[in-house]
């Protein structure tokens, strides 16, 4: 089942890329495995989904331990409290949800202790919804300038979550805005940062996100089924 779902999603990613004149190899699938038991995550890894996205620290630590003999790579995509930064830097190959300088500074400090450079994305609240995490677009430049001074984090790009719409086409302006912000930030040529990656698009709207330039799509339900 997982293998079949994964193949279908990979095909849809390819088709969406080609449809918008993009190279399918530019788009990475993050298989979102929050709440999915380790043995089912193992199935996904065996079927070729090597990059997993997780939201909860304790749950992820258990899965990382259970799957440590596999090629799994772990991305943290959930809201992150500053006092949990020390746990995340131990397993995360990329953190998608950094949205404030205090958190960036704590990740830098904890990564330094491990002798690691921690890759991160900056989460942007493009829609301005009060319920969403993410830095406001107008604060992005200052956050990047401050975070670029931190030697043990490495900024790779941006992540966003648009509002939910039944019609995914309506999410496209939010994805487009993140791509525009990326271009505006790239034009500032801030030292020590790369703004290449755009993590956007989930089960319901990833094709719209790919049309607007997503380089990473975060897909859970379409691979593992509905969460409890
Ligand atoms: C759960 C989650 C996803 C995956 O959502 P699906 O609709 O199941 O594909 C993607 N991104 C984030 C930040 C999530 O929390």
């Amino acid at each position: 089942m997982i293998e079949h779902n994964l193949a279908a999603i990979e095909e849809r990613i390819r088709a969406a890329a080609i449809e918008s004149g993009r190279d399918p190899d530019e788009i990475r699938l993050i298989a979102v495995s929050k709440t999915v038991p380790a043995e089912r995550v193992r199935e996904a890894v065996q079927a070729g989904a090597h990059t997993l996205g997780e939201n909860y620290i304790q749950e992820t630590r258990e899965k990382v331990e259970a799957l440590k003999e596999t090629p799994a790579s772990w991305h943290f995509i959930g809201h992150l409290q500053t006092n949990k930064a020390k746990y995340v830097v131990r397993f995360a190959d990329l953190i998608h949800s950094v949205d404030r300088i205090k958190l960036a500074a704590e990740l830098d400090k904890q990564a330094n202790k491990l002798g690691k450079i921690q890759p991160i994305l900056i989460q942007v609240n493009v829609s301005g919804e009060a319920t969403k995490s993410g830095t406001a677009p107008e604060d992005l430049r200052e956050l990047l300038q401050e975070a670029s001074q931190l030697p043990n984090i490495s900024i790779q790009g941006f992540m966003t979550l648009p509002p939910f719409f039944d019609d995914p086409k309506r999410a496209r302006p939010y994805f487009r805005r993140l791509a525009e912000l990326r271009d505006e930030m790239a034009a500032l040529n801030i030292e020590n940062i790369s703004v290449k990656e755009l993590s956007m698009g989930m089960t319901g709207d990833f094709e719209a996100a790919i049309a607007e330039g997503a380089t990473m799509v975060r897909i859970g339900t379409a691979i593992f089924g509905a969460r409890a």
Side-chain angles (χ1 to χ4, degrees):
M1 193 59 180
I2 288 177
E3 199 178 344
H4 168 89
N5 291 348
L6 197 58
I9 283 295
E10 280 165 356
E11 185 44 44
R12 282 173 63 189
I13 291 171
R14 269 193 83 72
I18 289 164
E19 166 94 16
S20 38
R22 301 185 55 204
D23 176 356
D25 293 340
E26 284 173 13
I27 299 148
R28 275 175 73 189
L29 170 63
I30 317 301
V32 176
S33 48
K34 63 175 174 233
T35 79
V36 177
E39 287 319 301
R40 299 192 63 232
V41 180
R42 183 188 299 277
E43 258 185 75
V45 174
Q46 281 165 349
H50 290 177
T51 309
L52 290 321
E54 288 279 347
N55 295 54
Y56 310 109
I57 309 264
Q58 187 51 34
E59 183 190 329
T60 316
R61 292 170 76 188
E62 289 164 17
K63 288 184 214 174
V64 170
E65 178 60 24
L67 300 189
K68 66 173 185 239
E69 310 298 342
T70 74
S73 164
W74 302 89
H75 286 195
F76 194 79
I77 64 173
H79 178 70
L80 183 53
Q81 288 170 266
T82 304
N83 64 1
K84 299 282 167 60
K86 59 176 174 290
Y87 302 114
V88 174
V89 296
R90 289 184 200 150
F91 63 72
D93 292 321
L94 182 65
I95 301 170
H96 293 228
S97 47
V98 180
D99 61 357
R100 54 199 190 278
I101 191 64
K102 197 168 158 232
L103 175 58
E106 183 64 18
L107 290 167
D108 176 68
K109 179 176 148 194
Q110 298 298 336
N112 179 263
K113 282 192 196 166
L114 296 183
K116 173 183 184 183
I117 309 279
Q118 175 65 60
I120 66 165
L121 304 178
I122 302 295
Q123 183 174 353
V124 185
N125 185 355
V126 173
S127 66
E129 289 169 287
T131 52
K132 291 240 158 80
S133 306
T135 192
E138 58 272 25
D139 298 335
L140 189 54
R141 176 188 183 143
E142 190 184 335
L143 176 56
L144 288 179
Q145 276 163 340
E146 289 179 14
S148 70
Q149 307 292 315
L150 299 166
N152 285 82
I153 58 171
S154 167
I155 299 173
Q156 307 284 317
F158 306 104
M159 183 271 245
T160 201
L161 275 162
F164 175 79
F165 297 107
D166 285 322
D167 177 1
K169 279 201 282 311
R170 294 184 58 199
R172 279 186 67 159
Y174 300 91
F175 295 140
R176 189 174 316 145
R177 184 70 191 123
L178 193 69
E180 286 167 3
L181 282 166
R182 188 258 320 264
D183 295 345
E184 289 166 26
M185 297 303 127
L188 299 173
N189 288 314
I190 300 170
E191 257 181 86
N192 300 322
I193 73 169
S194 155
V195 293
K196 196 174 134 274
E197 304 293 349
L198 289 177
S199 167
M200 54 190 199
M202 323 200 308
T203 291
D205 57 16
F206 71 88
E207 282 138 328
I210 288 170
E212 297 295 348
T215 64
M216 295 184 186
V217 290
R218 308 178 308 269
I219 299 178
T221 307
I223 297 171
F224 295 105
R227 286 179 292 273

